[in-house]
């Protein structure tokens, strides 16, 4: 299922993993490979996943990716209620426009499986022509979120590139 390959070749995508413990090498990140595989299945060329500590390093990583003008940036982690869960706070200032329906859909789909999904505080929106979305830090939460994006990711990219087909 490609759909995300405009005339000038595959679209680029970046992945930012917010995990202080994984960034320190205490444990192996499990969500980055899931997201990268999903992106490749959808026709994206991915930059190497960036595993950074929670908080402002996440914002710095997103800004670094935005300088490369990717079509998509997906973050994982840092969306809960722990004091160092700050991914939403560092993502929001980077967004030109929010897309609240994406997160509503993700929380609705996740809550059908676990009530804890309603605690995710992530954002989805655009920064220029880049779609940015914050996914939870668990592999199951990531897979649930990607399933919500499956039917709309190509349309999001098309719209951001100026195609107005509906």
């Amino acid at each position: 299922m490609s759909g995300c390959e405009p005339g000038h070749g595959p679209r680029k995508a970046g992945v930012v993993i917010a995990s202080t413990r994984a960034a320190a090498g205490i444990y192996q990140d499990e969500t980055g490979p899931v997201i990268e595989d999903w992106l490749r299945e959808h026709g994206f060329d991915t930059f190497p996943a960036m595993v950074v500590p929670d908080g402002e390093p996440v914002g710095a990583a997103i800004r670094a990716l935005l300088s490369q003008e990717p079509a998509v940036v997906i973050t994982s982690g840092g969306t809960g209620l722990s004091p160092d869960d700050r991914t939403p706070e560092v993502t929001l200032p980077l967004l030109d426009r929010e897309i609240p329906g994406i997160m509503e859909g993700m929380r609705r789909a996740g809550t059908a499986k676990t009530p804890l999904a309603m605690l995710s505080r992530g954002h989805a929106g655009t920064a220029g022509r880049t779609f940015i979305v914050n996914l939870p830090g668990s592999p199951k939460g990531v897979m649930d979120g990607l399933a919500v994006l499956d039917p709309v990711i190509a349309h999001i990219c098309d719209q951001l590139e100026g195609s107005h087909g509906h």
Side-chain angles (χ1 to χ4, degrees), residues 40-124:
R40 282 192 286 274
E41 288 169 10
H42 287 76
F44 291 92
D45 276 350
T46 62
F47 296 105
M50 301 170 76
V51 181
V52 298
D54 285 299
E56 180 47 40
V58 177
I62 295 171
R63 286 190 298 277
L65 282 169
L66 288 173
S67 73
Q68 303 298 309
E69 300 182 352
V72 174
V73 172
I74 299 177
T75 72
S76 171
T79 63
L81 300 176
S82 296
D84 62 348
D85 284 339
R86 307 239 336 114
T87 297
E89 288 78 9
V90 299
T91 301
L92 188 59
L94 303 175
L95 299 179
D96 299 324
R97 298 184 290 177
E98 286 190 80
I99 310 172
I102 298 282
M103 297 315 295
E104 291 164 10
M106 286 187 186
R107 282 188 275 271
R108 186 172 46 254
T111 303
K113 297 179 179 184
T114 173
L116 298 179
M118 71 178 81
L119 302 179
S120 180
R121 302 178 306 108
H123 293 288

